[in-house]
CSV table of all heavy atoms in Angstrom, one decimal:
chain,number,residue,atom,x,y,z
N,463,SER,N,-28.7,30.9,24.1
N,463,SER,CA,-29.6,31.8,24.8
N,463,SER,C,-29.7,33.2,24.0
N,463,SER,O,-30.7,33.8,23.9
N,463,SER,CB,-29.1,32.0,26.2
N,463,SER,OG,-29.2,30.8,27.0
N,464,ALA,N,-28.5,33.6,23.5
N,464,ALA,CA,-28.4,34.8,22.8
N,464,ALA,C,-29.2,34.7,21.5
N,464,ALA,O,-30.0,35.6,21.1
N,464,ALA,CB,-27.0,35.2,22.5
N,465,ARG,N,-29.2,33.5,20.8
N,465,ARG,CA,-29.9,33.3,19.6
N,465,ARG,C,-31.4,33.4,19.9
N,465,ARG,O,-32.2,34.0,19.1
N,465,ARG,CB,-29.5,32.0,19.0
N,465,ARG,CG,-30.4,31.5,17.8
N,465,ARG,CD,-30.3,32.5,16.6
N,465,ARG,NE,-29.0,32.4,16.0
N,465,ARG,CZ,-28.6,33.2,15.0
N,465,ARG,NH1,-29.4,34.2,14.6
N,465,ARG,NH2,-27.4,33.1,14.5
N,466,ALA,N,-31.9,32.7,20.9
N,466,ALA,CA,-33.3,32.8,21.3
N,466,ALA,C,-33.8,34.2,21.5
N,466,ALA,O,-34.9,34.6,21.1
N,466,ALA,CB,-33.6,31.9,22.5
N,467,ALA,N,-32.9,35.0,22.2
N,467,ALA,CA,-33.3,36.4,22.5
N,467,ALA,C,-33.3,37.2,21.2
N,467,ALA,O,-34.2,38.0,21.0
N,467,ALA,CB,-32.3,37.0,23.5
N,468,TYR,N,-32.4,36.9,20.3
N,468,TYR,CA,-32.4,37.6,19.0
N,468,TYR,C,-33.6,37.3,18.2
N,468,TYR,O,-34.2,38.2,17.6
N,468,TYR,CB,-31.1,37.3,18.3
N,468,TYR,CG,-31.0,38.0,16.9
N,468,TYR,CD1,-30.7,39.3,16.8
N,468,TYR,CD2,-31.3,37.2,15.8
N,468,TYR,CE1,-30.6,39.9,15.6
N,468,TYR,CE2,-31.3,37.8,14.5
N,468,TYR,CZ,-30.9,39.2,14.4
N,468,TYR,OH,-30.9,39.8,13.2
N,469,ASN,N,-33.9,36.0,18.1
N,469,ASN,CA,-35.1,35.6,17.4
N,469,ASN,C,-36.4,36.3,17.9
N,469,ASN,O,-37.3,36.5,17.1
N,469,ASN,CB,-35.3,34.1,17.4
N,469,ASN,CG,-34.2,33.4,16.6
N,469,ASN,OD1,-33.5,34.0,15.7
N,469,ASN,ND2,-33.9,32.1,16.9
N,470,ALA,N,-36.4,36.5,19.2
N,470,ALA,CA,-37.6,37.1,19.8
N,470,ALA,C,-37.8,38.5,19.3
N,470,ALA,O,-38.9,39.1,19.3
N,470,ALA,CB,-37.5,37.1,21.3
N,471,PHE,N,-36.8,39.2,18.8
N,471,PHE,CA,-36.9,40.5,18.3
N,471,PHE,C,-37.6,40.6,17.0
N,471,PHE,O,-38.2,41.6,16.6
N,471,PHE,CB,-35.5,41.2,18.1
N,471,PHE,CG,-34.8,41.6,19.3
N,471,PHE,CD1,-33.6,41.2,19.7
N,471,PHE,CD2,-35.5,42.5,20.2
N,471,PHE,CE1,-32.9,41.6,20.8
N,471,PHE,CE2,-34.8,42.9,21.4
N,471,PHE,CZ,-33.6,42.5,21.7
N,472,ASP,N,-37.6,39.4,16.2
N,472,ASP,CA,-38.3,39.4,14.9
N,472,ASP,C,-37.9,40.5,14.1
N,472,ASP,O,-38.7,41.3,13.6
N,472,ASP,CB,-39.8,39.3,15.1
N,472,ASP,CG,-40.5,39.0,13.8
N,472,ASP,OD1,-39.9,38.4,12.9
N,472,ASP,OD2,-41.7,39.3,13.7
N,473,VAL,N,-36.6,40.7,13.8
N,473,VAL,CA,-36.0,41.9,13.2
N,473,VAL,C,-36.6,42.0,11.8
N,473,VAL,O,-36.8,43.2,11.3
N,473,VAL,CB,-34.5,41.8,13.1
N,473,VAL,CG1,-33.9,43.0,12.4
N,473,VAL,CG2,-33.9,41.8,14.5
N,474,GLU,N,-36.9,40.9,11.1
N,474,GLU,CA,-37.4,41.0,9.7
N,474,GLU,C,-38.7,41.8,9.7
N,474,GLU,O,-39.0,42.5,8.7
N,474,GLU,CB,-37.6,39.7,9.1
N,474,GLU,CG,-36.3,38.9,8.8
N,474,GLU,CD,-36.6,37.6,8.0
N,474,GLU,OE1,-37.8,37.4,7.7
N,474,GLU,OE2,-35.6,36.9,7.8
N,475,ASN,N,-39.5,41.7,10.7
N,475,ASN,CA,-40.8,42.4,10.7
N,475,ASN,C,-40.9,43.5,11.7
N,475,ASN,O,-42.0,44.0,11.9
N,475,ASN,CB,-41.9,41.3,11.0
N,475,ASN,CG,-41.9,40.2,10.0
N,475,ASN,OD1,-42.0,40.4,8.8
N,475,ASN,ND2,-41.8,39.0,10.5
N,476,ASN,N,-39.8,43.9,12.3
N,476,ASN,CA,-39.8,44.9,13.4
N,476,ASN,C,-38.7,45.9,13.1
N,476,ASN,O,-37.5,45.5,13.2
N,476,ASN,CB,-39.7,44.3,14.8
N,476,ASN,CG,-39.8,45.3,15.9
N,476,ASN,OD1,-39.9,46.5,15.7
N,476,ASN,ND2,-39.9,44.8,17.1
N,477,ASP,N,-39.0,47.1,12.8
N,477,ASP,CA,-38.0,48.1,12.5
N,477,ASP,C,-37.5,48.9,13.7
N,477,ASP,O,-36.6,49.7,13.6
N,477,ASP,CB,-38.6,49.2,11.5
N,477,ASP,CG,-38.9,48.6,10.1
N,477,ASP,OD1,-38.2,47.6,9.8
N,477,ASP,OD2,-39.8,49.0,9.5
N,478,GLY,N,-38.0,48.5,14.9
N,478,GLY,CA,-37.5,49.1,16.1
N,478,GLY,C,-38.1,50.5,16.3
N,478,GLY,O,-39.1,50.9,15.7
N,479,PRO,N,-37.5,51.3,17.3
N,479,PRO,CA,-36.3,51.0,18.0
N,479,PRO,C,-36.6,49.9,19.1
N,479,PRO,O,-37.7,49.6,19.4
N,479,PRO,CB,-36.0,52.3,18.7
N,479,PRO,CG,-37.3,53.0,18.8
N,479,PRO,CD,-38.1,52.6,17.6
N,480,PHE,N,-35.4,49.4,19.6
N,480,PHE,CA,-35.5,48.2,20.6
N,480,PHE,C,-35.0,48.7,21.9
N,480,PHE,O,-34.1,49.5,22.0
N,480,PHE,CB,-34.6,47.1,20.1
N,480,PHE,CG,-35.1,46.6,18.7
N,480,PHE,CD1,-34.6,47.1,17.5
N,480,PHE,CD2,-36.0,45.6,18.7
N,480,PHE,CE1,-35.0,46.6,16.3
N,480,PHE,CE2,-36.5,45.1,17.4
N,480,PHE,CZ,-36.0,45.6,16.3
N,481,GLY,N,-35.7,48.3,23.0
N,481,GLY,CA,-35.4,48.8,24.3
N,481,GLY,C,-34.2,48.3,25.0
N,481,GLY,O,-33.6,47.3,24.6
N,482,TYR,N,-33.7,49.1,26.0
N,482,TYR,CA,-32.5,48.8,26.7
N,482,TYR,C,-32.5,47.4,27.3
N,482,TYR,O,-31.6,46.6,27.2
N,482,TYR,CB,-32.3,49.9,27.8
N,482,TYR,CG,-31.2,49.6,28.7
N,482,TYR,CD1,-29.9,50.0,28.5
N,482,TYR,CD2,-31.4,48.9,29.9
N,482,TYR,CE1,-28.8,49.8,29.3
N,482,TYR,CE2,-30.3,48.6,30.8
N,482,TYR,CZ,-29.1,49.0,30.5
N,482,TYR,OH,-28.0,48.8,31.4
N,483,ALA,N,-33.6,47.1,28.1
N,483,ALA,CA,-33.6,45.8,28.9
N,483,ALA,C,-33.4,44.6,28.0
N,483,ALA,O,-32.7,43.7,28.3
N,483,ALA,CB,-34.9,45.8,29.7
N,484,ALA,N,-34.2,44.6,26.9
N,484,ALA,CA,-34.1,43.4,26.0
N,484,ALA,C,-32.8,43.2,25.3
N,484,ALA,O,-32.2,42.1,25.3
N,484,ALA,CB,-35.2,43.5,25.0
N,485,VAL,N,-32.2,44.4,24.9
N,485,VAL,CA,-30.9,44.3,24.2
N,485,VAL,C,-29.8,43.9,25.2
N,485,VAL,O,-28.9,43.1,24.9
N,485,VAL,CB,-30.6,45.6,23.5
N,485,VAL,CG1,-29.1,45.6,23.0
N,485,VAL,CG2,-31.5,45.8,22.4
N,486,LYS,N,-29.8,44.5,26.4
N,486,LYS,CA,-28.8,44.2,27.4
N,486,LYS,C,-28.9,42.7,27.8
N,486,LYS,O,-27.9,42.0,28.0
N,486,LYS,CB,-29.0,45.0,28.7
N,486,LYS,CG,-27.9,44.8,29.7
N,486,LYS,CD,-28.1,45.7,30.9
N,486,LYS,CE,-26.9,45.4,31.9
N,486,LYS,NZ,-26.8,44.0,32.3
N,487,SER,N,-30.1,42.2,27.9
N,487,SER,CA,-30.3,40.7,28.2
N,487,SER,C,-29.6,39.9,27.2
N,487,SER,O,-29.0,38.8,27.5
N,487,SER,CB,-31.8,40.4,28.4
N,487,SER,OG,-32.0,39.0,28.6
N,488,LEU,N,-29.7,40.3,25.9
N,488,LEU,CA,-29.1,39.5,24.9
N,488,LEU,C,-27.6,39.6,24.9
N,488,LEU,O,-26.9,38.6,24.9
N,488,LEU,CB,-29.6,40.0,23.5
N,488,LEU,CG,-29.2,39.2,22.2
N,488,LEU,CD1,-30.1,39.5,21.1
N,488,LEU,CD2,-27.8,39.5,21.8
N,489,ILE,N,-27.1,40.8,25.0
N,489,ILE,CA,-25.7,41.0,24.9
N,489,ILE,C,-24.9,40.5,26.1
N,489,ILE,O,-23.7,40.2,26.1
N,489,ILE,CB,-25.3,42.5,24.6
N,489,ILE,CG1,-23.9,42.6,24.0
N,489,ILE,CG2,-25.4,43.3,25.9
N,489,ILE,CD1,-23.6,44.0,23.5
Side-chain angles (χ1 to χ4, degrees):
S463 297
R465 172 62 71 186
Y468 178 77
N469 290 340
F471 284 126
D472 191 19
V473 177
E474 288 187 5
N475 302 307
N476 187 351
D477 292 333
F480 299 90
Y482 171 89
V485 172
K486 183 179 185 302
S487 175
L488 186 161
I489 203 171

